[in-house]
Amino acid sequence: MNDSGSQHAPRKTIPIHAEPAAVSFYEARKKIQPRSIQGLFSRWRWALVWATQLFFYVVPWLQIHGRQALLFDLEQRRFYVFGWLLYPQDFIYLTALLIVSALALFLFTTVAGRLWCGFSCPQTVYTEIFMWIERRLEGDRSARLRLDGSGWTLEKTARRGGKHLLWLLLSLWTGFTFVGYFVPIRDLAVQVMAWQGAWQIFWIAFYALATYGNAGFLREQVCKYMCPYARFQSAMFDKDTLIVSYDAARGEGRGPRAKDANYRAQGLGDCIDCTLCAQVCPVGIDIRDGLQYECIGCGLCIDACNSVMDKMHYPRGLVRWSTEQALAQRWSRAQMLRRVFRPRVLLYGVGLLAITVAMVTSLYVRVPLKVDVVRDRGTLSRIVAGGMVENIYRVQIGNATELPQHYVLSASGLNGLRVASEPEVALAAAEDRWVVVRLQAPYGAAQPGSNPVVIEVRAQADPKIAVSAHTTFLAPR
């Protein structure tokens, strides 16, 4: 039974066939056309572009001892690193190198934000090169925007076609060079010219396509959505991390004004709202909106703002490298820099230094010789002429130098133990070989059963190059 108050309550009508409201979880990409700018950070970016690309494109062609200076030969399972020859057993050095790289990234990020992203990341470097080609053929930002809005004319077709042709050529050369770090690049050039080596050509095309797509089309999409570093960088930031910052206390309120006007009397700050800082940003953000995960810390907005401040005769630094605490408490540069050496930074620095020193020391004292001993399972032990007990082994000897070497084999651990097979082995540079080694000992010199012995391999030219391998010598019961 309904009470009296509910008899006159309005009833809600629920449409039976109501369509649910459509909610889009994807925002269509708005093409970014960054404006070129000159300044300190722009020059630093180009200095890093030149440094990284000269290294990348030139090093594979360098030779040491008649061999490629830097080559990761996966087929032969040898890694040639500027005169060092490393084997898969030396994987620990790669592990140490990755740890050093990670700690360096943590250290630099904690001190000064995304330095790697803004200046040295391959995505940043190749995007900058591709954008330079784009500016040469299509003009600066305003010219490119007009070209985007115009119809397809002969001039537009020629400019766009020339741009993509140069992009493709650079991408192919990049893919070829990258594969040249894993296949001897001089041999690779001959194979490609003869249209041989299907897998090599496939990987060249694969990396060329990746370069062409990432640097030519995806650009900031890689940094914002595909790269995980943008997402976890905040875990390494704190209030004393140097980041590209907008000084809102000085800049607000924004607004245009005459160059010689008393803008303070008008209630205006130093920001003239020219939006130049946003126009030069390669990821399309406005630094005046505060710290954003998309910011790669390239500093181009600083160059743009400083150029405007110079024209307006205002002090530089409206947009600058600063810290959250320095902006909030109006610290001087000296006060801000004193906070650089804080516990987190010192921890990363000590760890980085310790692992680097340990890795370099280990490489310096490393013996360039690999020895592996395997017993011959077909013949465990036998008595031969002269009343000698003989064991047979297979010994792998790897010359980890770039010079030919002669090695002498010897054995110890039992009275009268000797190498009955050929005691000398000659190996070419970077060669490894399995040799059969026969050890003999007088009958009765060894206790029945298993006896520990040592096989030593030593270089004739340098006695310091020696490796001792422990094994067992079986005597009959």
Side-chain angles (χ1 to χ4, degrees):
M1 177 179 289
N2 296 332
D3 58 24
S4 58
S6 63
Q7 293 177 358
H8 304 287
R11 295 183 178 179
K12 295 181 180 179
T13 303
I14 301 176
I16 298 177
H17 301 289
E19 293 290 337
V23 178
S24 175
F25 291 96
Y26 175 77
E27 182 182 4
R29 176 179 182 255
K30 298 176 183 178
K31 186 176 181 180
I32 297 174
Q33 294 286 14
R35 181 172 179 168
S36 62
I37 191 68
Q38 299 298 321
L40 174 64
F41 294 100
S42 175
R43 290 192 294 271
W44 267 110
R45 279 167 62 87
W46 274 106
L48 268 296
V49 168
W50 278 101
T52 55
Q53 297 316 291
L54 281 175
F55 181 93
F56 176 73
Y57 290 112
V58 172
V59 164
W61 298 95
L62 300 180
Q63 299 278 303
I64 295 180
H65 301 299
R67 195 187 305 276
Q68 188 169 315
L70 185 58
L71 175 65
F72 306 100
D73 194 339
L74 299 180
E75 183 178 0
Q76 298 296 327
R77 293 185 296 176
R78 294 183 180 89
F79 310 123
Y80 304 93
V81 184
F82 300 110
W84 278 321
L85 174 59
L86 304 178
Y87 287 88
Q89 298 93 318
D90 299 311
F91 190 80
I92 184 64
Y93 295 113
L94 175 60
T95 305
L97 182 61
L98 293 176
I99 295 174
V100 166
S101 301
L103 284 176
L105 182 65
F106 297 162
L107 175 63
F108 297 149
T109 303
T110 302
V111 172
R114 297 177 67 176
L115 292 177
W116 165 257
C117 297
F119 295 90
S120 300
C121 175
Q123 178 64 21
T124 296
V125 168
Y126 286 106
T127 297
E128 189 72 14
I129 297 173
F130 274 47
M131 288 170 57
W132 180 84
I133 295 173
E134 192 172 55
R135 286 194 294 269
R136 296 282 80 77
L137 292 177
E138 296 184 359
D140 205 358
R141 181 174 185 270
S142 57
R144 296 199 304 274
L145 289 173
R146 287 195 300 270
L147 196 65
D148 285 343
S150 65
W152 282 96
T153 62
L154 182 61
E155 179 186 6
K156 180 175 180 177
T157 302
R159 289 180 182 273
R160 287 281 165 87
K163 176 185 74 174
H164 285 281
L165 177 61
L166 291 177
W167 282 0
L168 282 170
L169 291 176
L170 177 61
S171 300
L172 286 169
W173 185 250
T174 301
F176 169 78
T177 303
F178 185 80
V179 175
Y181 279 93
F182 300 92
V183 178
I185 197 166
R186 297 168 189 261
D187 298 339
L188 179 63
V190 174
Q191 292 177 1
V192 171
M193 293 177 65
W195 203 245
Q196 297 176 349
W199 277 110
Q200 289 87 330
I201 293 174
F202 167 80
W203 286 114
I204 290 173
F206 177 85
Y207 288 112
L209 180 62
T211 304
Y212 178 70
N214 289 344
F217 297 94
L218 295 178
R219 293 187 178 177
E220 79 286 348
Q221 302 288 91
V222 174
C223 302
K224 292 166 66 173
Y225 305 119
M226 299 171 65
C227 178
Y229 182 53
R231 301 294 178 175
F232 68 75
Q233 60 168 327
S234 59
M236 291 176 279
F237 280 21
D238 57 30
K239 293 183 179 181
D240 293 305
T241 298
L242 286 164
I243 54 177
V244 179
S245 307
Y246 167 68
D247 192 345
R250 174 185 157 187
E252 302 296 322
R254 313 172 194 169
R257 78 290 306 270
K259 187 174 183 180
D260 299 324
N262 184 4
Y263 63 96
R264 295 295 185 188
Q266 302 175 26
L268 298 175
D270 285 357
C271 180
I272 67 172
D273 203 20
C274 63
T275 71
L276 198 61
C277 57
Q279 293 179 32
V280 301
C281 181
V283 294
I285 65 171
D286 190 336
I287 194 62
R288 297 174 298 176
D289 294 336
L291 177 62
Q292 299 151 72
Y293 81 89
E294 297 95 337
C295 178
I296 61 173
C298 63
L300 295 183
C301 53
I302 300 178
D303 288 338
C305 188
N306 283 342
S307 68
V308 174
M309 295 296 103
D310 291 343
K311 292 176 183 177
M312 298 297 294
H313 303 296
Y314 296 168
R316 287 187 165 200
L318 178 60
V319 179
R320 64 182 183 273
W321 284 95
S322 187
T323 69
E324 185 179 344
Q325 285 208 99
L327 285 176
Q329 303 188 32
R330 315 308 298 172
W331 281 352
S332 65
R333 182 180 294 271
Q335 290 175 305
M336 179 179 66
L337 293 179
R338 275 198 294 268
R339 288 291 301 161
V340 169
F341 298 104
R342 53 196 184 276
R344 180 188 292 192
V345 174
L346 294 177
L347 182 63
Y348 287 148
V350 170
L352 177 62
L353 180 63
I355 296 177
T356 302
V357 170
M359 182 180 68
V360 173
T361 303
S362 177
L363 279 171
Y364 180 76
V365 301
R366 169 180 171 268
V367 178
L369 173 63
K370 299 296 179 184
V371 176
D372 188 20
V373 177
V374 178
R375 292 189 56 84
D376 187 341
R377 298 184 180 277
T379 306
L380 297 180
S381 177
R382 63 184 180 184
I383 299 177
V384 296
M388 304 292 285
V389 178
E390 181 179 82
N391 281 206
I392 301 177
Y393 306 84
R394 295 180 68 244
V395 179
Q396 184 183 31
I397 304 175
N399 178 10
T401 71
E402 292 283 10
L403 298 173
Q405 298 284 353
H406 286 264
Y407 298 102
V408 178
L409 286 81
S410 60
S412 60
L414 295 174
N415 292 329
L417 184 67
R418 65 185 181 90
V419 177
S421 55
E422 179 59 44
E424 295 187 8
V425 178
L427 295 182
E431 181 186 4
D432 68 86
R433 186 191 310 166
W434 286 95
V435 296
V436 176
V437 176
R438 295 185 291 114
L439 298 187
Q440 293 181 356
Y443 189 85
Q447 296 293 328
S450 177
N451 298 268
V453 295
V454 176
I455 297 177
E456 184 182 66
V457 182
R458 185 180 298 274
Q460 281 186 339
D462 187 356
K464 294 181 180 179
I465 302 178
V467 172
S468 297
H470 294 264
T471 185
T472 57
F473 186 90
L474 299 181
R477 298 183 183 277

